Amino acid sequence: MNSTSLHYRTFLALLIAVSIAFGWIMWPYYGAIFWGTILAIIFAPMQRRLVAALGKRRNLAALITLLLCIVLAILPVVVITGSLVQEGTMLYQQVKSGDLNFGAYFERAVSALPPSVHSMLDRYDLSDIRSLQQKLSAGAVQASQFLATKAFSIGQDTFQFVISFGIMLYLLFFLLRDGSSLSRRVTQAIPMSEAYKQHLARKFTTVIRATVKGNVAVAATQGFLGGLAFWVLGIQGALLWGVLMGFLSLLPAVGAALIWVPVAAYFLLTGALWQGIGLTAFCVLVIGMVDNILRPILVGKDTKLPDWLVLISTLGGMALFGLNGFVIGPLVAALFTAVWDLFASDGQSLPSGEVLDAGIPTPPEDE
């Protein structure tokens, strides 16, 4: 082993150790760092336009962009979250006191089923409605209690939230101001060919913007329309159900139907035909059209991820990282497919048209 190879391997080991230590130190605030980076990527085009309009005054442009980011993205989320926590707490109190009894709603819907369905339930030993009603009521109490517990924990962790929020805004300002130069330095430090780096960077930014800007806009629209429909029909907790429909609409295939289909079925079974038909028509035609029209416009087809991969990666990401996972999951899946596309097409043309260099730089070999 020559001295050059020993020097390279020692430095590489030091580089890995220092990087792991740095990541370990940053981990307690990974959520603030993550969302600061995400917002910087989303609002980077606005920052560039303001820099050009203000005569390259980057500090002023970054400050204006930061204020717009707070007004357009952060403040609405804070207001909705506060209202959601309040409504979730009220829902728990109603379920606990018996004013809102999901078990009674279930029993009423089952009793309205035709005799043939009751015969089928008897055949499969599913006719013990009282037991199912008790389980449903217990599940509703546990779910509402979970919401109330989360509301209490948010109040207890206010100081930690304020610190994380301040770190995110502080980091976001500097990422907006210096993001271009920082990204160039990071890109230059990666030991890959230029075509590889450009392809992966393009995939990274495309997935970030598509997932956050596009999917969140679609989810917010569907949640608003669903909550509005529930409010018009006089359903309690319309805001909560609207937020749940918006959140579930991030998942392909299933989406908001997990919320509105049981409600529409209840209306139809209990004889409220106009409410059931109206809710079904509104959700299928209006909310469904929002997904079919807005998602291709805002998200586009640049991510090139199949629905099943988006669904599984989103669920897996949220299982590991909580709410942050709805971005991290599809991002990792997109980078996974992009890296394997590069590996499979090494030295050939990529789908976007650029031609790859043959191979990645390797460390010096032993003599």
Side-chain angles (χ1 to χ4, degrees):
M1 180 183 298
N2 58 23
S3 58
T4 303
S5 177
L6 179 61
H7 169 81
Y8 177 85
R9 294 182 179 182
T10 303
F11 180 76
L12 185 61
L14 177 63
L15 177 66
I16 294 173
V18 171
S19 300
I20 294 174
F22 180 77
W24 183 38
I25 291 174
M26 295 293 104
W27 183 255
Y29 298 101
Y30 95 93
I33 297 171
F34 176 75
W35 283 107
T37 306
I38 296 299
L39 291 173
I41 292 174
I42 293 173
F43 284 87
M46 182 182 296
Q47 166 71 10
R48 288 194 293 267
R49 286 193 291 268
L50 285 174
V51 169
L54 296 173
K56 298 185 178 181
R57 297 168 66 182
R58 293 186 301 150
N59 284 323
L60 180 59
L63 181 60
I64 295 174
T65 306
L66 179 62
L67 294 176
L68 290 174
C69 178
I70 293 174
V71 173
L72 296 176
I74 298 175
L75 189 59
V77 173
V78 172
V79 173
I80 292 175
T81 301
S83 302
L84 180 63
V85 167
Q86 183 179 4
E87 188 157 319
T89 305
M90 292 175 56
L91 182 66
Y92 168 68
Q93 296 296 335
Q94 290 176 339
V95 172
K96 188 177 179 180
S97 63
D99 295 336
L100 188 61
N101 192 337
F102 289 98
Y105 294 150
F106 176 75
E107 184 179 15
R108 193 180 308 166
V110 172
S111 62
L113 292 173
S116 58
V117 178
H118 283 282
S119 300
M120 185 178 65
L121 293 176
D122 292 335
R123 189 179 308 124
Y124 292 100
D125 295 329
L126 298 175
S127 57
D128 189 3
I129 304 302
R130 181 64 60 183
S131 176
L132 293 175
Q133 178 187 0
Q134 291 175 354
K135 291 179 181 179
L136 184 62
S137 298
V141 171
Q142 291 177 357
S144 57
Q145 186 176 11
F146 172 78
L147 290 175
T149 303
K150 285 296 181 182
F152 179 77
S153 64
I154 290 174
Q156 292 292 101
D157 296 336
T158 301
F159 182 70
Q160 180 69 21
F161 171 79
V162 170
I163 293 178
S164 298
F165 187 73
I167 290 174
M168 184 192 72
L169 294 180
Y170 186 74
L171 176 64
L172 178 57
F173 173 82
F174 287 101
L175 288 179
L176 288 170
R177 192 190 71 175
D178 306 323
S180 298
S181 59
L182 181 61
S183 63
R184 281 195 298 269
R185 291 185 63 182
V186 171
T187 303
Q188 292 172 358
I190 298 175
M192 292 184 188
S193 66
E194 194 63 29
Y196 275 60
K197 290 187 286 188
Q198 290 179 2
H199 181 70
L200 291 176
R202 187 179 297 110
K203 176 67 72 172
F204 180 83
T205 54
T206 297
V207 173
I208 289 293
R209 286 172 180 159
T211 303
V212 178
K213 183 178 66 176
N215 289 349
V216 168
V218 173
T221 304
Q222 290 186 331
F224 170 76
L225 292 174
L228 180 63
F230 277 32
W231 177 75
V232 170
L233 293 173
I235 299 174
Q236 298 184 32
L239 175 63
L240 175 62
W241 301 123
V243 171
L244 287 177
M245 280 191 280
F247 182 74
L248 290 172
S249 68
L250 295 170
L251 305 176
V254 289
L258 290 175
I259 302 296
W260 67 261
V261 166
V263 177
Y266 172 79
F267 281 138
L268 293 174
L269 289 173
T270 55
L273 297 181
W274 286 113
Q275 290 89 331
I277 294 174
L279 180 61
T280 302
F282 181 81
C283 292
V284 171
L285 298 178
V286 179
I287 295 181
M289 289 301 293
V290 166
D291 188 75
N292 295 330
I293 294 176
L294 279 186
R295 196 180 298 274
I297 294 175
L298 296 176
V299 178
K301 299 181 180 179
D302 293 333
T303 55
K304 297 180 181 178
L305 292 178
D307 286 346
W308 64 267
L309 184 57
V310 175
L311 175 62
I312 297 175
S313 62
T314 302
L315 292 174
M318 289 190 295
L320 290 175
F321 300 102
L323 186 59
N324 299 331
F326 89 89
V327 178
I328 299 176
L331 176 61
V332 172
L335 293 179
F336 172 81
T337 58
V339 170
W340 276 98
D341 284 342
L342 290 175
F343 180 78
S345 59
D346 187 19
Q348 303 174 10
S349 295
L350 288 172
S352 56
E354 69 264 44
V355 178
L356 300 180
D357 297 333
I360 298 176
T362 56
E365 298 180 356
D366 297 340
E367 290 186 345

